[in-house]
Amino acid sequence: MQSIESNALEPTKAELRELSLGRKLIRLAPTYGLVILTAILLILFSVLLPNTFPTMLNLRAIISDKAIIAMLSLAAMVPMAAGRIDLTVGYGIVLWHILAISLQTLYGIPWPMAVLIVMVLGGIVGFLNGLLVEIAKIDSFIATLGTGTALYALALAHTGGRQMVGVLPQGFYDINGTFVFGLPITGFYVLAITVTMWLVLEYTPIGRYLYSIGANQRAAELNGIPTRKYVIGAFVTSGLLTALAGVILASKLRIGQASVGLEFLLPALVGAFLGSTTIKPGRVNVWGTIIGVAILAIGISGIQQFGGSFWVEPMFNGVTLLIAIGIAGYAQRRKGAVKK
């Protein structure tokens, strides 16, 4: 069962060649409008807040704060490419960051092995989600909501409502705390994952198969694509990235608690849905997702520096999600109209 449909609306080179300069700009506006808006916000806040916004300190803060959200958005967009949705990106990170700490503090497991165990468990949960969606034929929204809720319950049971604390090895702290060229290493994690996913989705058969499944699974099956295998693989990839985000969160917070993590679900989904409104509107894509996360980070940072209240961030995320889904739905309807 599909929860979302994946189609692209970006203009072709042949189409652009036949248009005048003015019509080219109009045709490209929906494709790169979010990119332009991001640049406008960046310039606007830099001009209005010259002493705080365009600074290295603010850049470090944004990268440190939003790297995990970017990673979860990329995790969510992999199943989205196949027309599915994965809500466990928000629930799983709760359990994974707790386990990354408790495996070391309670059971004395070395940190590299603890990280490996968490990653393996993340992949297993992704595989389970794939089985529920493809074998049991449960809608991906319902299946991952159920799995995610179960993971959250396990996190509560494991902690007993208490914080997981203890002295951790410096090597584990360095996973998040290292700086490269003056910037948090987490930003380079996101960059490496982004480039890798872009190459796979845009230039390999895997990416073409996933997008084909997202656009029309039945047609993909008739063309010989083993859709079940690729959808399950998409969920496994999402699970692995979510587990990695949990490890990084554990290294950042240095404590584990079940009340931390769920707040990442909404912005992660916002970033992924926004990614379907730019670069390749109507289809989730890697660079669009990064732009979606960037505009959230820039907008929230600028508003907060103007003195925005504590409720501004969830309000901004919620309204932006509604706008993103509305634009994505319009793009899909427009794509259908063009086909007719």
Side-chain angles (χ1 to χ4, degrees):
M1 286 185 182
Q2 283 185 276
S3 296
I4 57 175
E5 184 180 357
S6 178
N7 288 305
L9 289 171
E10 67 273 17
T12 63
K13 293 181 180 179
E15 179 186 353
L16 291 176
R17 277 198 299 266
E18 299 175 357
L19 300 178
S20 63
L21 178 60
R23 294 184 66 84
K24 282 181 182 179
L25 294 176
I26 294 174
R27 184 66 181 88
L28 288 171
T31 304
Y32 298 103
L34 196 63
V35 180
I36 296 170
L37 179 59
T38 303
I40 290 174
L41 285 178
L42 190 62
I43 295 171
L44 178 64
F45 286 132
S46 296
V47 171
L48 296 178
L49 301 164
N51 297 323
T52 57
F53 192 84
T55 63
M56 181 61 73
L57 181 62
N58 189 45
L59 178 60
R60 289 173 182 166
I62 289 176
I63 293 175
S64 178
D65 189 43
K66 302 302 179 185
I68 293 174
I69 292 176
M71 201 170 295
L72 292 177
S73 292
L74 291 171
M77 70 143 288
V78 180
M80 282 185 186
R84 274 67 175 177
I85 192 167
D86 186 1
L87 297 181
T88 55
V89 296
Y91 293 94
I93 193 174
V94 179
L95 180 59
W96 304 143
H97 94 274
I98 290 171
L99 281 182
I101 292 175
S102 65
L103 288 174
Q104 300 176 68
T105 58
L106 295 183
Y107 304 106
I109 297 176
W111 75 263
M113 184 59 66
V115 170
L116 179 61
I117 291 172
V118 170
M119 294 293 293
V120 171
L121 290 175
I124 291 173
V125 169
F127 183 72
L128 175 61
N129 283 333
L131 292 180
L132 291 173
V133 172
E134 287 301 299
I135 305 299
K137 297 300 181 182
I138 302 174
D139 182 82
S140 59
F141 184 94
I142 302 301
T144 58
L145 179 61
T147 304
T149 304
L151 292 177
Y152 182 61
L154 288 174
L156 289 172
H158 182 60
T159 60
R162 300 183 299 272
Q163 292 183 341
M164 292 292 175
V165 297
V167 179
L168 299 170
Q170 185 60 43
F172 185 73
Y173 292 148
D174 290 342
I175 292 175
N176 173 82
T178 304
F179 283 77
V180 179
F181 303 118
L183 297 174
I185 194 172
T186 50
F188 293 93
Y189 296 156
V190 172
L191 179 61
I193 293 170
T194 299
V195 172
T196 301
M197 287 181 58
W198 171 62
L199 292 174
V200 171
L201 289 176
E202 296 295 331
Y203 297 102
T204 70
I206 295 175
R208 291 192 289 272
Y209 292 163
L210 285 176
Y211 281 132
S212 297
I213 294 168
N216 190 319
Q217 181 166 350
R218 181 57 180 162
E221 291 172 347
L222 293 175
N223 279 280
I225 297 174
T227 58
R228 179 174 294 174
K229 179 177 72 174
Y230 283 99
V231 171
I232 292 175
F235 278 107
V236 171
T237 302
S238 179
L240 289 171
L241 288 175
T242 302
L244 178 59
V247 170
I248 294 172
L249 180 62
S251 175
K252 178 181 180 179
L253 298 180
R254 306 187 178 192
I255 61 171
Q257 52 185 353
S259 61
V260 174
L262 285 178
E263 70 271 15
F264 291 118
L265 176 59
L266 181 59
L269 293 179
V270 171
F273 274 112
L274 279 175
S276 68
T277 68
T278 189
I279 310 297
K280 294 179 182 293
R283 186 177 82 184
V284 292
N285 62 93
V286 175
W287 294 114
T289 298
I290 294 300
I291 291 297
V293 175
I295 197 169
L296 290 176
I298 292 169
I300 292 171
S301 176
I303 292 172
Q304 288 179 339
Q305 289 182 36
F306 269 117
S309 300
F310 65 92
W311 51 265
V312 168
E313 182 169 354
M315 175 66 77
F316 189 89
N317 288 333
V319 172
T320 306
L321 176 62
L322 293 175
I323 294 172
I325 293 176
I327 294 174
Y330 170 76
Q332 289 181 358
R333 291 192 298 272
R334 182 177 172 185
K335 180 68 173 180
V338 170
K339 285 181 178 179
K340 294 177 182 178

